[in-house]
Amino acid sequence: MRKPTAKSLILDLLLASKGRPLSAKQAIAACAIFDISVNNTRVALVRLSAEGLIESAGRALYQLTDDAHTLADDVAAWRTRSTRVRAWDGSYIVVQAEKLSRSEAKQQRARARALLMLGFQPLNEHLFIRPNNIEDTLESVRARLYKLGLEKEAPVFVAQHFDTELTQRIRTLWKPKELEQNYAQLEKKMHTWLERSGALEPEVAARESFLLGGTAIKHVVYDPFLPAEWVDVQARERFLSAVDEVDKAGMRIWNGMWASMEG
């Protein structure tokens, strides 16, 4: 669990705040928990504002901009990810993406992030694929991909009935056993922390909940949510339940810290 930068910590706190603004005082206090100086915190606030990621919400108050919400809102939907998974009918969703030039590096990063967040893997240089078991419709998947950064010229379609050799190769694009190991390891780590979190000093509890919760949530955000035919869905659900418990505990800890500051 890596120590966050001032910028990443501020953005994560705003993301977790569910629309509530973050004060400069809160940002400084939060950064201090991770040994980030007041000066570095203030510089981070200025840079985030200059980059168009945060904006003023009042005197010494900050909130995410509309542009920042585009990605943030999808990340924040991790809590409902498992409800957006449905039974698999054996078909696949395919994205056809043309090669981008070096001058289009920013678009390349946006495309790669969009595909990875929705669990796509490269079938070849131009085709990316995943099981057709997420969202209610293909249109919903297409809309999410475009919103997250896939260029709107890229076709998104359903395909099926691949030959046996290609079907077998497609199955090797993901690592279900590795996912299951991560589920079990992280679930155990989270339950261990929850059992001892009540005895921790507030600042220690805040720091540990942020680091552990952030790691777990990242796994949720980038989980491909493979169909039940490929992965142990019950293990995934146990892991997601533990993430939810740690997230709620973390919210209580941080809200308690904010309340004590105001008092």
Side-chain angles (χ1 to χ4, degrees):
M1 292 179 281
R2 293 172 54 188
K3 171 184 169 181
T5 64
K7 288 173 67 175
S8 67
L9 177 56
I10 291 166
L11 287 175
D12 283 343
L13 289 173
L14 281 168
L15 179 61
S17 71
K18 299 180 181 179
R20 295 189 301 273
L22 181 76
S23 70
K25 183 180 179 181
Q26 288 173 325
I28 290 169
C31 286
I33 292 174
F34 294 92
D35 298 320
I36 299 171
S37 70
V38 174
N39 183 61
N40 284 349
T41 304
R42 295 192 185 280
V43 168
L45 288 169
V46 171
R47 288 179 176 172
L48 286 168
S49 180
E51 292 168 10
L53 295 174
I54 64 173
E55 61 188 4
S56 174
R59 184 176 177 81
L61 292 174
Y62 299 90
Q63 63 187 12
L64 293 174
T65 62
D66 288 342
D67 286 344
H69 271 295
T70 298
L71 176 61
D73 290 348
D74 198 88
V75 172
W78 68 266
R79 294 178 179 86
T80 60
R81 279 274 159 79
S82 63
T83 66
R84 297 158 75 173
V85 179
R86 56 185 171 81
W88 185 44
D89 63 2
S91 65
Y92 295 86
I93 303 174
V94 181
V95 173
Q96 180 181 335
E98 298 302 319
K99 186 174 182 179
L100 297 173
S101 65
R102 289 186 177 180
S103 63
E104 297 172 299
K106 183 178 180 180
Q107 177 58 48
Q108 177 64 52
R109 289 193 296 271
R111 173 203 286 178
R113 182 183 61 206
L115 292 169
L116 188 59
M117 285 181 67
L118 268 69
F120 284 84
Q121 289 293 330
L123 185 58
N124 59 39
E125 187 178 6
H126 299 294
L127 295 178
F128 299 82
I129 192 168
R130 68 149 296 126
N132 183 16
N133 72 313
I134 58 169
E135 304 294 345
D136 293 329
T137 64
L138 176 64
E139 184 55 42
S140 297
V141 177
R142 187 183 289 123
R144 279 185 66 199
L145 284 167
Y146 292 158
K147 183 179 179 181
L148 288 170
L150 177 69
E151 55 273 23
K152 291 184 171 56
E153 300 79 26
V156 181
F157 54 93
V158 172
Q160 56 186 337
H161 303 311
F162 296 107
D163 64 48
T164 302
E165 182 178 348
L166 185 53
T167 298
Q168 290 175 345
R169 184 160 73 85
I170 289 171
R171 289 288 293 264
T172 67
L173 298 177
W174 296 269
K175 299 177 180 179
K177 294 303 178 185
E178 187 175 302
L179 285 171
E180 291 169 358
Q181 290 172 1
N182 286 335
Y183 296 151
Q185 291 171 2
L186 284 169
E187 181 196 353
K188 181 179 180 180
K189 185 177 294 186
M190 286 185 285
H191 281 144
T192 299
W193 181 83
L194 285 165
E195 288 172 0
R196 67 180 185 84
S197 61
L200 298 173
E201 291 295 322
E203 289 194 356
V204 175
R207 180 173 61 248
E208 291 187 357
S209 70
F210 181 89
L211 293 172
L212 179 59
T215 297
I217 289 170
K218 185 176 181 180
H219 276 269
V220 179
V221 171
Y222 288 100
D223 192 293
F225 283 88
L226 298 175
E229 290 84 351
W230 295 14
V231 72
D232 185 344
V233 173
Q234 291 184 338
R236 184 170 68 203
E237 289 301 319
R238 290 194 297 269
F239 160 69
L240 292 173
S241 178
V243 179
D244 191 49
E245 287 185 60
V246 168
D247 179 59
K248 289 176 180 176
M251 292 290 287
R252 288 194 298 269
I253 291 165
W254 282 88
N255 286 336
M257 194 169 69
W258 299 150
S260 65
M261 285 175 55
E262 292 172 1

